[in-house]
């Protein structure tokens, strides 16, 4: 029987346990086509223990498959928008009115995810047909978050009752190894205060994963601070009953007790250090979508501030409407480009794998000796690091 061993060197080698190893090595053994992982760790140790293994270059990283912690699969056929956040929202509404959202787009989205090697996703779901398909048929794992959009406090009771009923029906469709049901109040300003509080308590009491877009655009910060600005102009009568708290969007959520449900916070771009501290203390994971943030002129995510305070960061692609692909590896590559030397390569990989599983409340894979080679993916993207630091 032919037995071949190889030592694959990567800028980052990660088996899902502990900290990713920089300039690490994966040792693989191929016994007549049956390829197994022998080791993930330090290069010196690999060379000492398997001196005869054939050295190979594996590029940027080898790790368990990265997680796409935030997507809108039902927007997969939407044309890509590179413009202000408010222009994007108008385009999403128009795309939906033209019948572009829904099951067929979500199916294409899942196919794109699988082609990119992603098995685990956090998806925001806006219609019941797509939700039922995701829970019972789609060949992906993760969380399908039911989206709630109800800015008028007068609608709070009715929307709450309706949401409870829908979630009950969706949960009955959950199957082991498939997607779980979650809850996604859209943003802190498009769900009224009483409803937001009730939804957060509901999620907490029922152990429902929750995800909310927050601190995405500069206009969101202005709206919460003063009640004015481009978002107010965009939403018009929808925000007729919105009263600004005068707080940052993150502090507003903290003030309402919403962070007690430990929601996963999507974007978290427009934050200050106090916000980051609040997020870390709450134990919420933040999903970083750098390409969407750049396309919609939302600013640069303060990666170094989250790192300084030890907050957990995951990666998401957001929708195809604001991102050129659903490939989370490309998202990480874009993040490295935006943050330059401020983002450590090992931390980027950790976030894409472990951070993603934490965001969705799932168990990350841990590679042990003898596991099949498929347990680790060799990243396709090149990640250029230590570029000159430049803000977008
Ligand atoms: Zn989103």
């Amino acid at each position: 029987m032919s037995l071949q061993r190889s030592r694959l060197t990567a800028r980052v080698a990660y088996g899902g346990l502990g900290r990713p190893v920089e300039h690490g090595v994966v040792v693989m053994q191929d016994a007549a086509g049956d390829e197994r992982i022998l080791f993930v760790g330090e290069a010196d140790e690999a060379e000492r223990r398997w001196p005869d293994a054939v050295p190979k270059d594996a590029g940027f990283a080898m790790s368990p498959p990265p997680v796409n912690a935030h997507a809108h699969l039902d927007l997969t056929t939407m044309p890509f928008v590179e413009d202000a956040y408010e222009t994007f929202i108008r385009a999403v509404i128009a795309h939906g009115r033209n019948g572009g959202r829904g099951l067929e787009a979500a199916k294409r989205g899942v196919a794109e995810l699988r082609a990119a090697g992603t098995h685990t996703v956090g998806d925001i779901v806006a219609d019941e047909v797509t939700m039922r398909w995701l829970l019972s048929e789609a060949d992906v794992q993760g969380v399908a978050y039911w989206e709630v959009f109800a800015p008028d406090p007068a609608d709070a009771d009715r929307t709450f009752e309706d949401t409870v009923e829908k979630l009950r029906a969706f949960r009955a469709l959950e199957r082991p190894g498939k997607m779980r049901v979650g809850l996604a109040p859209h943003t802190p300003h498009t769900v009224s205060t009483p409803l937001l509080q009730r939804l957060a308590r509901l999620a907490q009491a029922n152990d429902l994963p929750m995800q909310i877009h927050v601190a995405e655009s500069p206009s969101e910060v202005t709206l919460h601070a003063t009640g004015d600005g481009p978002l107010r102009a965009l939403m018009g009568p929808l925000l007729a009953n919105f009263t600004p708290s005068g707080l940052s969007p993150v502090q507003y959520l903290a003030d309402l007790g919403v962070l007690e449900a430990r929601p996963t916070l999507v974007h978290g771009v427009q934050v200050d250090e106090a916000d980051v501290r609040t997020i870390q203390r709450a134990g919420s994971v933040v999903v970083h979508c750098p390409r969407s943030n750049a396309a919609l002129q939302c600013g640069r995510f303060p990666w170094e501030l989250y790192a300084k305070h030890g907050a957990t960061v995951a990666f998401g692609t957001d929708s195809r409407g604001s991102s050129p692909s659903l490939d989370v590896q490309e998202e990480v590559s874009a993040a490295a480009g935006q943050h330059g030397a401020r983002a450590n390569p090992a931390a980027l990989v950790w976030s894409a794998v472990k951070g993603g599983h934490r965001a969705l409340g799932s168990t990350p894979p841990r590679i042990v000796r003898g596991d099949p080679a498929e347990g680790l993916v060799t990243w396709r993207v090149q990640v250029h690091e230590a570029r000159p630091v430049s803000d977008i």
Side-chain angles (χ1 to χ4, degrees):
M1 190 174 74
S2 72
L3 192 70
Q4 282 189 325
R5 285 181 182 149
S6 46
R7 270 188 282 129
L8 299 136
T9 304
R11 179 66 183 81
V12 181
Y14 184 45
L17 272 164
R19 208 184 132 72
V21 182
E22 296 204 44
H23 303 289
V25 161
V26 174
V27 180
M28 294 277 195
Q29 175 171 289
D30 186 341
D34 179 27
E35 209 178 357
R36 302 273 163 180
I37 299 157
L38 292 185
F39 174 83
V40 182
E42 301 286 345
D44 293 354
E45 189 182 345
E47 207 174 334
R48 201 173 60 243
R49 290 171 64 185
W50 294 278
D52 299 333
V54 181
K56 287 179 186 168
D57 180 13
F60 174 64
M62 291 187 77
S63 75
V67 171
N68 189 341
H70 178 73
H72 301 254
L73 297 173
D74 72 344
L75 285 170
T76 299
T77 56
M78 179 176 165
F80 177 48
V81 175
E82 267 184 301
D83 209 325
Y85 173 79
E86 293 74 30
T87 307
F88 167 74
I89 296 294
R90 279 189 199 96
V92 172
I93 294 166
H95 182 70
R97 283 200 182 127
N98 293 334
R101 294 186 85 155
L103 182 60
E104 288 315 308
K107 285 183 174 175
R108 275 178 62 168
V110 168
E112 274 197 35
L113 286 176
R114 296 306 306 258
T118 304
H119 311 285
T120 310
V121 64
D123 185 35
I124 306 295
V125 189
D127 75 274
E128 291 181 57
V129 175
T130 302
M131 180 58 111
R132 287 172 195 280
W133 179 77
L134 283 169
L135 295 172
S136 52
E137 288 183 59
D139 192 17
V140 277
Q141 300 188 345
V143 181
Y145 296 93
W146 179 247
E147 186 165 68
V148 177
F149 182 103
D152 189 348
D155 293 336
D157 287 347
R158 191 183 50 81
T159 306
F160 182 76
E161 299 309 328
D162 177 60
T163 303
V164 168
E165 206 169 295
K166 284 199 171 75
L167 291 173
R168 195 176 287 138
F170 296 149
R171 273 194 132 176
L173 298 172
E174 285 181 329
R175 295 287 176 270
K178 293 277 188 185
M179 293 194 95
R180 290 175 301 131
V181 178
L183 177 62
H186 177 242
T187 70
H189 45 279
T190 49
V191 176
S192 66
T193 305
L195 182 57
L196 203 46
Q197 288 181 303
R198 289 184 78 181
L199 292 176
R201 284 198 293 268
L202 177 77
Q204 204 175 3
N206 292 280
D207 210 14
L208 268 173
M210 188 164 136
Q211 195 166 97
I212 181 167
H213 297 94
V214 65
E216 180 173 3
S217 67
S219 57
E220 179 181 339
V221 175
T222 307
L223 179 74
H224 284 266
T226 69
D228 293 324
L231 256 188
R232 168 74 79 184
L234 168 74
M235 311 235 355
L238 280 174
L239 290 185
N241 293 310
F242 176 82
T243 312
S245 63
L247 302 169
S248 73
V250 168
Q251 298 303 341
Y252 170 63
L253 291 183
D255 214 45
L256 295 186
V258 171
L259 297 188
E260 285 163 33
R262 290 181 63 192
T264 290
L265 307 177
V266 182
H267 297 303
V269 177
Q270 297 294 329
V271 291
D272 61 16
E273 192 151 11
D275 290 334
V276 172
R277 225 180 263 125
T278 298
I279 291 167
Q280 193 278 333
R281 283 195 194 129
S284 280
V285 177
V286 179
V287 185
H288 181 22
C289 310
R291 291 184 299 173
S292 174
N293 299 151
L296 306 184
Q297 304 166 8
C298 287
R300 190 185 69 85
F301 178 90
W303 177 277
E304 61 284 2
L305 209 48
Y306 286 103
K308 177 183 168 188
H309 291 282
T312 301
V313 177
F315 280 98
T317 58
D318 221 341
S319 79
R320 283 296 303 276
S322 60
S323 173
S325 79
L326 296 177
D327 187 339
V328 76
Q329 288 190 28
E330 290 173 5
E331 209 61 52
V332 175
S333 178
Q338 288 185 14
H339 307 307
R342 288 173 288 211
N344 171 281
L348 290 169
V349 172
W350 187 94
S351 283
V353 178
K354 191 85 168 258
H357 282 285
R358 280 200 188 167
L360 305 181
S362 51
T363 312
R366 293 172 164 197
I367 299 302
V368 295
R369 188 186 170 120
D371 276 352
E374 301 85 74
L376 290 177
V377 297
T378 303
W379 288 41
R380 299 175 307 280
V381 293
Q382 290 303 311
V383 172
H384 303 286
E385 52 187 291
R387 280 187 189 168
V389 168
S390 60
D391 282 2
I392 53 165

